[in-house]
Amino acid sequence: MAGRRRQGIDPLKKAFVKSYGCQMNAYDAARMADVLGAEGYAATDQVEEADVVVLNTCHIREKAAEKVYSELGRLRVLKGERAEAGRDTRIVVAGCVAQAEGAEILSRAQGVDVVVGPQSYHRLPALLAASREKRVVDTDFPVEDKFDHLPARRNRGVTGFLTVQEGCDKFCAFCVVPYTRGAEVSRSVAAIRAEAEAMVAAGVREITLIGQNVNAYHGAGADGAPASLAGLMAELGRIPDLLRLRYTTSHPNDMAEDLIAAHGSDPLLMPYLHLPVQSGSDRVLKAMNRKHTGDHYRALIARIRAARPDIALSSDFIVGFPGETEAEFEETMRLVADIGFASAFSFKYSPRPGTPAAEREDAVPEAVKSERLARLQGLLDAQRHAFNAATVGKVVEVLVEKAGRHPGQVAGKTPHLQAVQFDAPLAAIGTLVPVRIVQSGSNSLFGERVADAARAA
Ligand code: 5AD
Ligand code: SF4
């Protein structure tokens, strides 16, 4: 419709991409921006000036899914306003709501032009072109590998996510992921190494390997035999200038021996582990189809701590799973007290259509869920504060990521994934700097650079 554009309007096409939910979605959103970039769309953070708007959606809890529809309502108004000014706007719904609801989105949200699932977004240019004729839905799990069809990634920044595995075969009774993201698939070591090398060449110094079930990774190695996550990390450790590795998110039942050992021996692997447990009650864990008990988890953590005593632990919790009693919730509180977490995410159970737990008729009342969540978060917050306070006075190595809040400051992360602000020139970005922590705030640590005489010598 360029011919109908009024004079004075910026001829450069622009794309606005917004992501909800997990790191997998953040990665996909960045890759969609790359796909659109290769088509001549410049990225914008001003939705009003975007010719293409992509919402990369999350279906994990009801609240996340509902957010999308209210955003689509606002976008429909914006699209109308832009049309009056002679400007076309294409609205794309991507991600897990797209996968789960497909064509239903077209009937619920009139402004939407394209619905595209997480496995087919490499087809975005063709879908956008087709949408000029009629609204399109593509929620296939295509035979071709989307990674083979994505343009080279553009990196901005010192840290980056890299998808190594997608999908989940675990079928926890509450979770939509096995339905929206499909079965577990791992990328090959060679493909991941090539992407990691490109990231490092572009300035990335810390890579977080991501997957819905990342420690179930079993991609093909150089000899064609499946490699483990620990094996993959050892391979990536050979890339010069890569300083740090992390991985997320994991299932307790896939913490293989070699992965536990890597926490003690792999010099790039940071001492931080996000290992969702969901509940401390064996009856609830069984009803959740988690296939582990509270004591399995405790024993596993003991082994991981034996390999890496200073490891910082993080987890996910669900309160108010159908049938959860007060005593069973107390078992979750006890597990948290026993383990001690550096950080955590906790949620009220939210029934998801199509999952086995959604069929249950013994729902916990909303008020009870809220009260339990507040108690659990109180304990987890206290543990997080204690963990951060214990760093005060210590010298930690900070990977500097960006300018800090105030002029003259930079911001980065400790090995334990704590945010730190301290005074240093911007030239420190991308380097490891020893920093003495002097104060622990609510969301950040504050420190000062250690004049490291030994290093200078
Ligand atoms: N209700 C509440 N929380 C959920 N999660 C997954 N599904 C649900 C649900 N139906 C949480 C789990 C998971 C995290 C990503 O989201 O804790 O680990
Ligand atoms: Fe969902 Fe369970 Fe798979 Fe995690 S392991 S993605 S909670 S089904």
Side-chain angles (χ1 to χ4, degrees), residues 3-36:
R4 286 215 337 240
R5 277 195 175 157
R6 292 187 316 190
Q7 278 195 328
I9 291 176
D10 184 354
L12 187 68
K13 297 183 292 179
K14 292 193 175 140
F16 172 91
V17 182
K18 179 168 178 180
S19 195
Y20 301 82
C22 66
Q23 290 99 335
M24 298 288 295
N25 260 16
Y27 175 91
D28 290 343
R31 299 310 305 266
M32 280 188 267
D34 293 341
V35 170
L36 293 170

Side-chain angles (χ1 to χ4, degrees), residues 22 59-62 172-177 249-250 274 276-278 288 290 315-319 321 345-352 355 357:
C22 66
H59 203 240
I60 198 97
R61 285 169 292 275
E62 195 177 353
C172 298
F174 50 80
C175 186
V176 286
V177 167
T249 180
S250 299
H274 180 70
V277 64
Q278 314 296 357
M288 286 176 164
R290 289 288 294 180
S315 199
D316 289 343
F317 299 90
I318 294 178
V319 302
F321 186 78
F345 299 94
S346 44
F347 313 98
K348 291 192 267 186
Y349 169 72
S350 162
R352 307 307 295 129
T355 60

Side-chain angles (χ1 to χ4, degrees), residues 38-179:
E39 294 289 304
Y41 289 91
T44 177
D45 54 7
Q46 304 292 314
V47 68
E48 300 77 19
E49 60 178 36
D51 304 283
V52 171
V53 177
V54 180
L55 300 185
N56 196 32
T57 61
C58 173
H59 203 240
I60 198 97
R61 285 169 292 275
E62 195 177 353
K63 242 195 206 158
E66 282 309 315
K67 249 191 232 163
V68 175
Y69 286 101
S70 45
E71 186 77 31
L72 287 173
R74 285 191 290 275
L75 287 176
R76 189 184 176 187
V77 174
L78 179 67
K79 184 174 180 166
E81 287 167 3
R82 281 176 49 96
E84 277 174 28
R87 304 171 85 175
D88 181 56
T89 314
R90 303 274 106 187
I91 298 181
V92 179
V93 178
C96 294
V97 176
Q99 190 64 42
E101 298 188 4
E104 214 182 304
I105 297 174
L106 298 185
S107 46
R108 261 188 86 178
Q110 287 307 317
V112 175
D113 301 287
V114 175
V115 175
V116 59
Q119 295 309 333
S120 24
Y121 62 75
H122 56 292
R123 297 174 175 170
L124 206 44
L127 297 171
L128 282 169
S131 77
R132 299 192 179 274
E133 302 296 322
K134 83 184 212 313
R135 306 164 84 198
V136 287
V137 177
D138 185 346
T139 51
D140 285 357
F141 285 88
V143 282
E144 80 267 18
D145 182 346
K146 74 169 174 246
F147 293 105
D148 291 340
H149 292 78
L150 291 170
R153 60 182 283 172
R154 288 191 281 181
N155 288 294
R156 311 151 196 94
V158 172
T159 62
F161 296 127
L162 202 177
T163 293
V164 304
Q165 178 279 341
E166 288 188 276
C168 180
D169 296 340
K170 296 284 189 292
F171 291 92
C172 298
F174 50 80
C175 186
V176 286
V177 167
Y179 311 96

